[in-house]
Amino acid sequence: MKTQLAMVIDSSTCIDCKACMLACKVENQVPEGYWRNWVKSSQPRFADDAWMDSFQPTHFQPGGCMHCDNPTCVQACPTGATWKDDVDGAVKVNPKLCIGCGSCIPACPYGARYRHPTKHVVDKCDFCQHRRDRGELPACVTTCPTKARVFGDINNPDSDAARLLKKNRSIQVIHPSADTRPNMYYLSATAPLNWPVAPRQPDAMQFWKLINPVIWSVVGLNALGVLAMLVKQILMPHDTPKHEPELPAEKG
């Protein structure tokens, strides 16, 4: 059975310390103003005078790239720079093939991608590939003080991640319009659940698919997409996608 790396998270133990975010930022040299991971929070409701009877504390939900089995970001990439690795199941970006067009950014329901301001390529979580090459866990996993994150191969029944999934009910956070089959699992209950957005494929791809299915299937839109995006990069090198995901603000 193929390896599928995944993150299993017990969000009930998250205390919103942001240690996972800072560790990732330092370890992967993520530029100022951008993040590879995040902690989202639910909002308590104070609807009426009886709110104390049904009060639920704020729930903190760590997250990051979901390394999906059906990644819409891969479908949106015109050059093949974004791809799902058959070896470990992670979704990765090849910076040598990335032209920085940003088409994959709105195609991700989770806002897990950003365009690097100096490298001009798309960047995202890769489960700390360089650390895994050394036999180490991702920085966010190692740093978490409450051990809310458990990482491993969920297809290996002997891994901690697989054992957790087997013993507990889990939830995947998805958008109703696109089940990307994410490989980030939350134990029992988690909140919030309604924050993913509908993935949006590049307009050029949708246009060509409509007017000429033959071109799409025989010639392939990849070549046309690459040409179009290269022209765009030359004419508008600093252009930013209109639907670039909102990123969490850095705390001082």
Side-chain angles (χ1 to χ4, degrees), residues 89-163:
V91 175
K92 302 177 180 179
V93 177
N94 183 342
K96 294 181 180 179
L97 293 178
C98 181
I99 57 174
C101 67
S103 295
C104 60
I105 294 174
C108 172
Y110 305 104
R113 295 167 164 260
Y114 69 93
R115 189 160 47 190
H116 198 287
T118 57
K119 297 180 180 179
H120 305 297
V121 295
V122 169
D123 186 50
K124 60 174 284 296
C125 163
D126 61 359
F127 283 149
C128 284
Q129 178 74 61
H130 62 289
R131 289 177 61 89
R132 292 191 284 115
D133 290 343
R134 302 195 299 257
E136 300 172 359
L137 291 170
C140 61
V141 176
T142 302
T143 305
C144 179
T146 63
K147 305 305 177 186
R149 294 171 177 260
V150 176
F151 175 76
D153 176 13
I154 56 173
N155 288 337
N156 177 2
D158 295 326
S159 72
D160 291 339
R163 282 197 287 261

Side-chain angles (χ1 to χ4, degrees), residues 18 21 25 33-40 111 245-251:
K18 302 284 195 301
M21 296 175 60
K25 197 173 188 68
Y34 298 89
W35 302 90
R36 281 187 170 191
N37 60 355
W38 56 78
V39 177
K40 295 191 178 293
E246 183 178 346
L247 295 160
E250 293 186 73
K251 289 188 175 182

Side-chain angles (χ1 to χ4, degrees), residues 68 70-80 82 101-110 113 175 177-180 197-210 216 221-222 225 229 232 241-244:
C68 306
N70 181 32
T72 46
C73 56
V74 171
Q75 301 165 20
C77 181
T79 67
T82 290
C101 67
S103 295
C104 60
I105 294 174
C108 172
Y110 305 104
R113 295 167 164 260
H175 189 274
S177 69
D179 183 2
T180 59
V197 301
R200 187 175 66 84
Q201 294 294 324
D203 294 337
M205 288 190 175
Q206 300 304 320
F207 173 72
W208 282 102
K209 284 175 71 176
L210 283 174
W216 175 261
L221 185 65
N222 280 351
M229 296 307 176
K232 181 179 179 181
K242 294 180 180 179
H243 297 275
E244 193 137 3

